[in-house]
């Protein structure tokens, strides 16, 4: 095996000793433990290049620790408002103290607000809030600026309070109601006597129908100044809105009570007429068609009117009748339903059809075309399912065959179920 020598140039670059002729360390005794095979030799370790400063900082850290370190660097930060280092970094772009910088943003926001540029004004107020909120968090941690006095802190809080209240006004104009009352709450934490904060939060709550909260905010403001014009105005609006809501709720309650009473009248009418009914788990959608008393649904002396379906099983067709009064006969409705548009052979005529209804036992009962509906429903062993009366209408020459087929299918179904 040929071993190449390391040149002086390479040795110098890798910081290997030039004393190649020196003797190597004495060998271990045979009974000594051998070094692990995967441990790099001294020469191999020396030949590896040194890590860069950035890699050296993170070589022994977990991924989460590395990410946490990165977030401390402004370029990688994702939570700008909550990071004091960010605010300090951003403040470098402006001359002056945090108080002066925030005051300047406030003035610029006021200029935009006067010209009704609500969104622009909000952005300027937000920048001022970010600067002073960072200072406020430092004080909360007990880490104020070394040169800051108590008077400086008080002045900053005054400007921060104004920034919150002014930004709340922008949110109110932009209909960002939740942001509005949150900014008002932030201002009130700094000064619980700020009347503008009470007024604007009250307006925001009222705009979304949260009357109790609007009334509470307004009452707190009026407790401080009972003659405040804007608060008195919003108080009048709250009373007016509360009256409207109460009137609307009263009307809805009356409607519900009326509907409940009508349902009770219909149940009493069905029971008095001995009409059997049943409701399934999935009743059909019939829009405004329904079982009701007519002409006056609130008068128990009115007659019952049913939605009805005419089924033509031989041709797999159907017709829907929205109102079939209990005094009507099948002939009354067949007179305007016939002729059927799809009945090319003209098999369906008022005198040339037979009509049936299904019984409770699963059989069929023949229905007279001139019999009132009430007579059929109260005397025959039939039921009204989902408030809909169902008739099978067949040409006379095909009725017997269909009836036999119907009975066969029912018998087969009963055999399967038993």
């Amino acid at each position: 095996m040929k071993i190449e020598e390391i040149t002086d140039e390479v040795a110098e670059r890798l910081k290997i000793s030039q004393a190649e002729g020196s003797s190597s360390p004495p060998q271990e005794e045979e009974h000594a433990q051998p070094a692990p095979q995967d441990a790099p030799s001294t020469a191999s370790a020396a030949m590896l290049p040194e890590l860069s400063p950035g890699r050296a900082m993170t070589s022994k850290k977990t991924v989460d620790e590395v990410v946490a370190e990165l977030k401390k660097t402004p370029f990688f930060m994702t939570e700008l408002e909550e990071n004091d280092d960010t605010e300090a970094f951003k403040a470098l772009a402006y001359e002056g103290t945090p108080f002066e910088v925030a005051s300047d943003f406030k003035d610029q926001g006021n200029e935009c607000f006067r010209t009704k540029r609500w969104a622009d004004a909000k952005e300027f107020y937000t920048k001022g809030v970010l600067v002073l909120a960072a200072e406020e968090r430092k004080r909360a941690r007990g880490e104020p600026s070394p040169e800051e006095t108590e008077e400086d802190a008080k002045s900053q809080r005054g400007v921060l309070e104004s920034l919150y209240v002014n930004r709340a006004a922008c949110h109110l104009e932009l209909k960002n109601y939740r942001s509005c009352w949150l900014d008002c709450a932030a201002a009130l934490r700094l000064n619980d006597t700020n009347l503008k904060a009470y007024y604007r939060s009250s307006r925001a709550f009222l705009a979304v129908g949260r009357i109790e909260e609007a009334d509470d905010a307004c009452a707190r403001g009026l407790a401080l100044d009972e003659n405040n014009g804007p608060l008195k105005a919003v108080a009048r609006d709250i009373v007016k809105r509360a009256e409207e809501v109460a009137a609307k709720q009263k009307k809805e309650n009356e409607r519900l009570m009326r509907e409940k009473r009508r349902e009770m009248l219909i149940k009493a009418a069905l029971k008095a007429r001995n009409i059997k009914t049943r409701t399934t788990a999935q009743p059909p959608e019939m829009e405004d068609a329904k079982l009701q008393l007519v002409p006056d649904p609130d008068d128990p002396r009115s007659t019952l009117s049913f939605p009805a379906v005419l089924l033509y099983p031989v041709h797999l067709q159907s017709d829907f009748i929205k109102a079939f009064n209990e005094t009507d006969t099948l002939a009354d409705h067949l007179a305007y339903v016939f002729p059927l548009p799809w009945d090319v052979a003209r098999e369906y005529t008022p005198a040339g059809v037979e009509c049936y209804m299904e019984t409770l036992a699963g059989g069929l009962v023949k229905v007279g075309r001139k019999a009132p509906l009430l007579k059929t429903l109260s005397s025959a062993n039939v039921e009204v399912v989902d408030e809909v009366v169902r008739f099978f209408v067949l040409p006379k020459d095909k009725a017997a065959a269909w009836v036999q087929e119907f009975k066969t299918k029912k018998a087969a179904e009963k055999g399967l179920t038993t």
Side-chain angles (χ1 to χ4, degrees):
M1 180 177 65
K2 181 179 180 182
I3 300 177
E4 295 184 359
E5 294 183 352
I6 299 176
T7 64
D8 292 339
E9 181 181 354
V10 174
E12 178 66 21
R13 188 164 59 246
L14 297 179
K15 299 179 181 180
I16 296 178
S17 172
Q18 299 296 325
E20 294 183 350
S22 61
S23 60
S24 59
Q27 296 290 328
E28 297 284 334
E29 295 293 333
E30 289 184 0
H31 62 273
Q33 293 292 334
Q37 294 182 0
D38 57 348
S41 65
T42 305
S44 299
M47 293 177 64
L48 293 175
E50 293 182 357
L51 292 175
S52 65
R55 289 295 304 276
M57 289 173 57
T58 61
S59 61
K60 295 182 180 180
K61 294 182 179 180
T62 65
V63 173
D64 292 337
E65 291 172 337
V66 173
V67 171
E69 287 292 333
L70 286 174
K71 286 186 176 180
K72 293 181 181 179
T73 305
F75 184 78
F76 296 100
M77 286 176 180
T78 57
E79 299 177 355
L80 296 180
E81 186 171 347
E82 299 299 326
N83 197 306
D84 298 334
D85 294 334
T86 305
E87 301 312 321
F89 179 77
K90 290 164 64 177
L92 294 176
Y94 309 102
E95 293 183 358
T97 64
F99 173 82
E100 294 169 341
V101 172
S103 297
D104 184 55
F105 281 134
K106 175 188 170 185
D107 293 339
Q108 293 181 70
N110 291 345
E111 287 295 325
C112 293
F113 194 91
R114 277 191 284 270
T115 56
K116 298 184 178 182
R117 292 159 52 198
W118 319 120
D120 292 337
K122 177 177 71 69
E123 292 303 317
F124 281 118
Y125 293 141
T126 298
K127 290 180 179 180
V129 166
L130 292 176
V131 172
L132 292 185
E135 297 299 314
E136 191 69 17
R137 285 192 294 273
K138 288 180 181 178
R139 284 190 287 271
R141 294 197 303 264
E143 303 172 1
S145 300
E147 66 279 4
E148 182 181 271
T149 65
E150 186 63 32
E151 189 63 29
D152 292 336
K154 184 177 180 181
S155 299
Q156 287 186 17
R157 290 193 181 102
V159 174
L160 181 58
E161 174 191 348
S162 297
L163 287 166
Y164 277 128
V165 172
N166 291 357
R167 190 170 68 173
C170 296
H171 285 308
L172 193 61
E173 295 292 343
L174 295 169
K175 295 181 171 53
N176 300 330
Y177 298 119
R178 183 174 182 274
S179 297
C180 176
W181 69 61
L182 289 177
D183 273 351
C184 290
L188 290 169
R189 281 194 294 270
L190 295 169
N191 177 14
D192 60 2
T193 64
N194 191 305
L195 295 178
K196 291 182 179 179
Y198 286 120
Y199 168 76
R200 287 164 188 167
S201 59
S202 182
R203 279 290 181 197
F205 283 125
L206 183 61
V208 297
R210 295 170 65 165
I211 297 176
E212 291 185 1
E213 289 155 297
D215 184 54
D216 179 70
C218 182
R220 291 174 184 270
L222 288 174
L224 297 170
D225 182 4
E226 61 182 11
N227 296 317
N228 185 276
L231 282 171
K232 291 172 68 176
V234 74
R236 289 191 294 269
D237 291 342
I238 291 172
V239 172
K240 182 180 178 181
R241 182 67 179 277
E243 291 175 348
E244 292 174 352
V245 171
K248 184 178 180 181
Q249 186 61 48
K250 181 181 178 182
K251 187 175 181 180
E252 177 64 14
N253 291 339
E254 290 174 350
R255 185 191 68 81
L256 293 174
M257 292 179 62
R258 185 167 57 251
E259 290 297 324
K260 187 175 181 179
R261 182 175 183 275
R262 289 176 179 177
E263 290 178 5
M264 293 176 63
L265 287 174
I266 290 174
K267 288 181 179 179
L270 291 169
K271 185 176 181 179
R273 291 162 172 77
N274 195 31
I275 298 175
K276 305 169 190 65
T277 61
R278 177 167 59 89
T279 302
T280 64
Q282 294 182 329
E285 177 60 46
M286 297 184 293
E287 297 181 355
D288 59 339
K290 60 181 179 179
L291 170 60
Q292 59 184 333
L293 287 168
V294 293
D296 185 358
D298 298 311
D299 188 352
R301 295 170 297 179
S302 298
T303 58
L304 286 171
S305 177
F306 297 82
V309 175
L310 303 180
L311 301 168
Y312 311 105
V314 173
H315 292 85
L316 302 179
Q317 298 286 346
S318 65
D319 280 315
F320 181 71
I321 298 174
K322 186 175 180 179
F324 199 128
N325 196 281
E326 63 181 1
T327 60
D328 295 345
T329 66
L330 265 171
D332 294 333
H333 293 280
L334 294 178
Y336 67 82
V337 172
F338 294 162
L340 300 170
W342 44 265
D343 181 21
V344 180
R346 292 293 181 265
E347 296 181 83
Y348 294 87
T349 63
V353 296
E354 290 183 359
C355 303
Y356 297 86
M357 287 186 69
E358 187 173 356
T359 65
L360 288 168
L364 293 170
V365 59
K366 191 173 182 180
V367 180
R369 295 189 303 276
K370 295 184 179 180
L373 178 62
L374 177 58
K375 181 179 180 180
T376 302
L377 295 179
S378 60
S379 59
N381 192 25
V382 297
E383 65 179 350
V384 178
V385 181
D386 293 329
E387 300 185 353
V388 180
V389 179
R390 292 169 174 80
F391 297 99
F392 297 102
V393 183
L394 303 108
K396 285 184 176 180
D397 58 344
K398 297 179 179 178
W402 180 82
V403 170
Q404 185 58 44
E405 181 184 356
F406 181 90
K407 291 180 178 179
T408 303
K409 288 181 178 179
K410 285 295 180 179
E413 290 175 2
K414 288 183 178 180
L416 289 174
T417 55
T418 58

